[in-house]
Amino acid sequence: MSDEATLLDVHEAEPGVQVVTLLGELDYSNLPEVRDHVYGVVSQAHGVVIDVRKLKFIDSNGLGFILQVHRRMHEKAGRMVLVSTSSHMEKLLRISGLEAVLPVHADEASAVAAVKGG
């Protein structure tokens, strides 16, 4: 289901595994709205996939938010991974030092398998 501002789409890939697709831009101006929705998803899931393939822009606030989701999942013994095919996102993660922390997969199927422990 998409939220009213069409900032994200959420669906359950498998029981307990939620896929959050971020759309458009993720920055300081829309982060509170996205954060509230995603934190609700995280609280109910044991695995979260964040798909950033449809994200056109992300600022440092957005990147910090993704890291926060990862930490929340880790604290509750869950898993979170990203789906991205963007060389720009890959570069952002490398420059920020987050490539070792945030696992990235090229497609949803492999990401879902990873959060399930496969």
Side-chain angles (χ1 to χ4, degrees):
M1 112 174 132
S2 295
D3 83 348
E4 64 275 357
T6 318
L7 298 171
L8 56 98
D9 182 75
V10 178
H11 71 273
E12 187 172 50
E14 298 203 8
V17 178
Q18 298 288 327
V19 176
V20 177
T21 302
L22 298 175
L23 307 167
E25 298 183 356
L26 182 59
D27 60 25
Y28 73 94
S29 68
N30 60 16
L31 186 58
E33 191 175 349
V34 172
R35 181 182 53 228
D36 292 345
H37 195 92
V38 173
Y39 283 172
V41 169
V42 167
S43 70
Q44 302 298 316
H46 68 265
V48 174
V49 173
I50 297 186
D51 188 340
V52 297
R53 291 178 293 180
K54 294 182 180 178
L55 200 59
K56 295 178 180 162
F57 175 80
I58 185 169
D59 70 3
S60 60
N61 295 296
L63 198 56
F65 162 69
I66 290 173
L67 182 58
Q68 224 15 313
V69 172
H70 182 269
R71 285 183 181 148
R72 282 182 179 227
M73 290 304 297
H74 181 74
E75 287 170 359
K76 62 184 248 172
R79 299 192 70 192
M80 190 221 81
V81 299
L82 294 176
V83 176
S84 177
T85 54
S86 164
S87 59
H88 177 70
M89 179 60 80
E90 185 179 308
K91 183 178 180 181
L92 249 168
L93 294 173
R94 187 175 56 253
I95 289 171
S96 65
L98 295 175
E99 69 181 345
V101 177
L102 299 172
V104 179
H105 295 268
D107 58 67
E108 184 177 314
S110 65
V112 168
V115 297
K116 287 176 51 183

